[in-house]
Amino acid sequence: MPVLRSMLFSRSALGATLVTIGLTLPVLTATATPHSNEVTQAHGNSYVNDTILPPLEPWQGNSEQLMVDANDPWATPFEQSQGFASPNYDDTIAWLDKLIATSPMLSKVSLGLSPQGRDIWMIIASQEGANSPETLSQNNKPTILVQAGIHSGEIDGKDAGMMLLRDIVFANKQHLLADANLLFVPIFSVDGHERSGQYNRVNQRGPENMGWRTTATNLNLNRDYAKADSPEMQHMIRAINRWNPSLYIDVHVTDGIDYQYDLTLGYNLKQGLSPASYAWLEHAYKPAIYSALTAAGHIPGELVFAKDNTDINQGFSLWNPSPRFSNGYGDARHLPTILIENHSLKPFRQRVLATYVMLESTLELMGTQATTLKSAITQDSYRYPKTITVKWGEEQQSLGRDFKGIDYSLEHSPISGNKIIRWNGKPKSYINLPVHSNTKPLKQVSRPEAYYIPAQWQQVIERLDIHGIRMQVLQQSTKVSLSQYRIDDFEFQSKDYEGRQRVSVNTNLHTMTTTLPAGTVKINTKQPLGDLAIMLLEPESRDSLLQWGFFNPIFTRTEYIENYAVEPMAAKMLADDPALAKEFQQALANASFAQDPKARLRWFYQRSPYYDQAYLAYPVLRSH
């Protein structure tokens, strides 16, 4: 394992003495800057919600030495506030522009505009001073894409990244770019970031002003990867396609229960679509990052969610998300993706410093892991499994888990009339708690050679293009034997979700011979994003474009037949077809059917040549 270096600053200006330490050492002898503890004490109740949140045990870690004095000319706004505030959009970009102007290693590009007209900026950091995807790729180094503020109130990554970029330029940390490139998006949800206030996140200890969880159009960007409705997400996905990162880090802040961990990380499981990337994350990445964080005074852990927030002994759910989420999307497109969830009940200062250590040690790790990471991505991208699971169910895992929790009690609440949990701030260890996860296959499909999309489904084709999925347009009509899903039953959600009316379906597959017209779009699944195409186009996949509502018109009947026409038609059908007459008599054995005149007439209409054969037929065809 490489030595994970970090810099210790004195209280004087940045140009003063720097001490290099190895974060792999079990004990660091440096003393914290005098102001760090004083600030913590002085601002013990600095956040408006401090008095209603659970108590805190005092924290002091070696990573506090990463902060420079508030009066240093290159102190970030976070450091100028002594770790309690985060700058607004304009001040963030102004500070970064000032830093970029000092170094040929840094440049800045806009990924695109938000709905309110703000640029989504990305900082490019490379030893060679690359400023485009083409020049960046020429150095043949792995590229790490770090985004902060997909939920803009969860902004720890922004302030950590600003500090790290400063130290790369001024604090002898240029070596971090010797074996890797860094792409840094300080604020992803830029409009939500500017809907800022003290009262936006009641469960979170800072910063003093926090952005809003959703965009200006009230979309949650970390539910938007698969459907890509928002301009912000479309910009990000295009950037992923153009800049081709090897590792994607999405920095969040999570809540739910109290525990000792200040930084938790999650990624999709070995049962997913990128097993080689999972193995790299599990066996190469996680141990190195845990070691660095522990040495710096933090407590890292795996991202889990309590089965019951009022009874920790019920155990945990280990997340294996679908492609609507960043790490589920990364799994489907074979881009190793890490979801960082800092703990909302830990102070902002502590969370930012943990994020800094995580980012720095990630860059350090690339020095020894670039080749193995590239190999894992290649294995996953060209694996082409014959069977793919598109729907998962939950099951208990064979191994339990120890957990570094916080002790609590349950009290009867006269306000709610229910039991309420009271965390007391005291560490408590839980041994071998049960773990559940959605790792039980419920629906598996064979891998088709290709999908065929009729040209009229333009929005679907456009979204697939945004994802970077390769497509071919048929130049002439072609007669082929294919399979088509017909929908047996369906259920629309009672409420809109993320701006769409979702629908769940059960289907069956039929073979058919048809002539595909010129203009039909063909998608071959033997391509690096072939698995992503399958997850988006298989109708029973949880994040298929069908379930997101892109095909909702197929659930609407637009042609009908009057009763006066059905009656004589039905009589003729019975007279001409004895088998049909027998089938109708069998149907009448069902009392509810027999007593429903409309159902009886509809029965004949559905079996007539007048019936709309496109109704409840999924228009995307697949090879056998």
Side-chain angles (χ1 to χ4, degrees):
M1 183 182 299
V3 174
L4 303 175
R5 295 181 290 274
S6 181
M7 296 298 180
L8 300 186
F9 294 91
S10 69
R11 286 200 59 180
S12 57
L14 200 67
T17 303
L18 302 175
V19 182
T20 303
I21 63 171
L23 286 185
T24 51
L25 296 177
V27 177
L28 301 181
T29 58
T31 304
T33 51
H35 72 264
S36 63
N37 192 50
E38 296 167 3
V39 169
T40 301
Q41 295 301 320
H43 290 262
N45 296 309
S46 62
Y47 301 123
V48 295
N49 55 343
D50 257 351
T51 57
I52 64 173
L53 294 180
L56 275 175
E57 287 287 288
W59 176 83
Q60 189 172 17
N62 288 306
S63 61
E64 290 184 294
Q65 301 300 317
L66 295 165
M67 294 178 66
V68 301
D69 189 86
N71 295 318
D72 189 284
W74 280 105
T76 66
F78 163 79
E79 291 166 314
Q80 293 168 23
S81 73
Q82 299 179 332
F84 287 87
S86 185
N88 64 24
Y89 174 89
D90 288 337
D91 290 346
T92 298
I93 304 308
W95 189 94
L96 286 167
D97 282 342
K98 179 182 173 184
L99 180 67
I100 291 167
T102 68
S103 173
M105 295 184 293
L106 304 182
S107 59
K108 182 182 78 169
V109 296
S110 174
L111 304 186
L113 293 177
S114 71
Q116 291 183 340
R118 295 182 179 89
D119 282 290
I120 302 172
W121 293 108
M122 182 173 76
I123 314 304
I124 309 153
S126 72
Q127 207 171 52
E128 297 77 14
N131 59 8
S132 69
E134 294 74 24
T135 55
L136 192 71
S137 65
Q138 289 172 7
N139 66 31
N140 293 315
K141 299 175 185 177
T143 295
I144 302 166
L145 171 57
V146 177
Q147 74 183 20
I150 188 172
H151 299 149
S152 57
E154 306 168 22
I155 203 61
D156 304 4
K158 176 188 72 177
D159 297 280
M162 292 168 72
M163 289 174 60
L164 181 60
L165 288 173
R166 184 268 320 278
D167 294 347
I168 288 173
V169 173
F170 290 120
N172 296 324
K173 292 194 177 183
Q174 296 92 337
H175 70 276
L176 294 174
L177 300 179
D179 300 300
N181 309 307
L182 174 63
L183 303 176
F184 174 55
V185 179
I187 310 168
F188 184 9
S189 183
V190 289
D191 295 342
H193 188 275
E194 295 308 280
R195 186 181 171 182
S196 180
Q198 290 181 303
Y199 299 99
N200 280 355
R201 290 182 64 82
V202 67
N203 304 318
Q204 184 172 305
R205 275 195 167 92
E208 289 175 344
N209 288 287
M210 293 172 273
W212 197 250
R213 180 174 177 82
T214 52
T215 69
T217 55
N218 207 35
L219 291 179
N220 184 336
L221 291 178
N222 203 31
R223 307 295 184 272
D224 197 35
Y225 279 89
K227 62 185 175 68
D229 277 337
S230 67
E232 295 97 326
M233 184 54 68
Q234 293 180 11
H235 297 326
M236 180 59 69
I237 292 173
R238 289 189 179 106
I240 290 171
N241 290 327
R242 292 191 64 224
W243 294 86
N244 193 29
S246 304
L247 185 64
Y248 187 22
I249 298 177
D250 182 21
V251 185
H252 291 246
V253 179
T254 195
D255 48 31
I257 63 173
D258 201 359
Y259 45 68
Q260 299 172 48
Y261 310 103
D262 50 8
L263 182 148
T264 60
L265 55 89
Y267 38 82
N268 274 44
L269 306 181
K270 63 183 179 181
Q271 291 87 351
L273 294 165
S274 298
S277 295
Y278 165 82
W280 184 87
L281 290 166
E282 183 74 5
H283 303 297
Y285 183 82
K286 185 170 75 171
I289 303 308
Y290 277 22
S291 176
L293 285 162
T294 302
H298 297 278
I299 304 179
E302 192 161 3
L303 176 62
V304 292
F305 299 95
K307 295 287 289 182
D308 181 345
N309 285 359
T310 64
D311 184 4
I312 305 304
N313 290 297
Q314 293 295 316
F316 296 96
S317 174
L318 186 61
W319 202 27
N320 191 39
S322 65
R324 75 184 62 174
F325 303 98
S326 61
N327 44 331
Y329 182 70
D331 181 61
R333 65 175 294 146
H334 314 306
L335 168 58
T337 300
I338 303 164
L339 179 70
I340 299 298
E341 289 280 9
N342 294 329
H343 188 213
S344 64
L345 295 178
K346 303 297 185 289
F348 181 54
R349 173 193 183 95
Q350 181 178 350
R351 302 194 319 258
V352 170
L353 295 176
T355 307
Y356 181 111
V357 174
M358 180 272 301
L359 295 178
E360 181 183 19
S361 54
T362 298
L363 285 167
E364 287 274 11
L365 185 66
M366 289 303 100
T368 59
Q369 288 295 324
T371 301
T372 53
L373 175 58
K374 182 178 180 179
S375 175
I377 294 171
T378 300
Q379 289 179 55
D380 291 330
S381 299
Y382 297 96
R383 193 167 64 98
Y384 306 143
K386 293 182 179 180
T387 301
I388 287 185
T389 301
V390 297
K391 187 188 299 183
W392 295 94
E394 188 170 278
E395 60 184 353
Q396 184 167 339
Q397 304 300 295
S398 58
L399 296 177
R401 180 156 309 184
D402 296 344
F403 186 72
K404 295 179 179 179
I406 297 293
D407 200 7
Y408 66 92
S409 59
L410 292 176
E411 299 177 6
H412 178 79
S413 169
I415 297 173
S416 68
N418 199 358
K419 289 183 178 180
I420 187 168
I421 195 165
R422 302 290 188 192
W423 307 99
N424 62 27
K426 303 298 182 183
K428 179 178 179 178
S429 294
Y430 296 85
I431 307 301
N432 197 32
L433 293 178
V435 176
H436 295 77
S437 186
N438 53 328
T439 53
K440 180 180 180 180
L442 294 182
K443 176 71 176 183
Q444 294 183 311
V445 299
S446 62
R447 184 185 203 90
E449 178 187 342
Y451 291 98
Y452 297 87
I453 307 175
Q456 63 266 28
W457 294 97
Q458 286 295 305
Q459 190 183 41
V460 171
I461 295 166
E462 177 234 356
R463 293 302 160 87
L464 296 172
D465 181 63
I466 287 172
H467 285 294
I469 294 168
R470 299 172 189 165
M471 293 178 280
Q472 172 190 353
V473 179
L474 300 187
Q475 299 302 310
Q476 59 186 18
S477 61
T478 307
K479 188 175 183 179
V480 288
S481 176
L482 298 172
S483 296
Q484 182 177 38
Y485 287 106
R486 294 200 67 88
I487 296 168
D488 290 333
D489 58 80
F490 59 93
E491 182 177 1
F492 283 96
Q493 285 192 347
S494 59
K495 295 181 180 179
D496 283 358
Y497 177 67
E498 291 299 314
R500 288 187 169 271
Q501 188 175 18
R502 284 180 53 83
V503 58
S504 59
V505 297
N506 290 315
T507 63
N508 61 79
L509 202 58
H510 296 273
T511 300
M512 62 185 298
T513 298
T514 187
T515 298
L516 301 174
T520 299
V521 170
K522 177 182 179 180
I523 297 175
N524 195 309
T525 66
K526 285 192 174 181
Q527 58 169 298
L529 296 183
D531 290 349
L532 176 60
I534 292 171
M535 299 304 288
L536 294 176
L537 293 176
E538 281 296 321
E540 293 194 49
S541 166
R542 184 169 178 243
D543 276 332
S544 69
L545 297 181
L546 179 136
Q547 294 209 20
W548 274 114
F550 284 77
F551 292 96
N552 278 2
I554 71 173
F555 298 97
T556 302
R557 287 178 55 195
T558 57
E559 290 287 354
Y560 300 88
I561 186 170
E562 297 293 343
N563 292 355
Y564 61 75
V566 178
E567 287 283 355
M569 180 188 71
K572 188 174 188 304
M573 291 170 67
L574 291 172
D576 293 346
D577 190 343
L580 182 70
K582 182 178 181 181
E583 185 182 351
F584 181 59
Q585 289 302 318
Q586 291 172 343
L588 291 175
N590 184 309
S592 60
F593 173 79
Q595 296 169 13
D596 187 342
K598 288 184 178 180
R600 291 169 64 157
L601 293 177
R602 186 166 57 247
W603 190 92
F604 287 98
Y605 176 40
Q606 289 172 344
R607 287 157 177 78
S608 77
Y610 298 99
Y611 188 71
D612 180 10
Q613 296 303 314
Y615 178 56
L616 298 185
Y618 182 47
V620 177
L621 306 180
R622 72 195 310 267
S623 56
H624 304 314

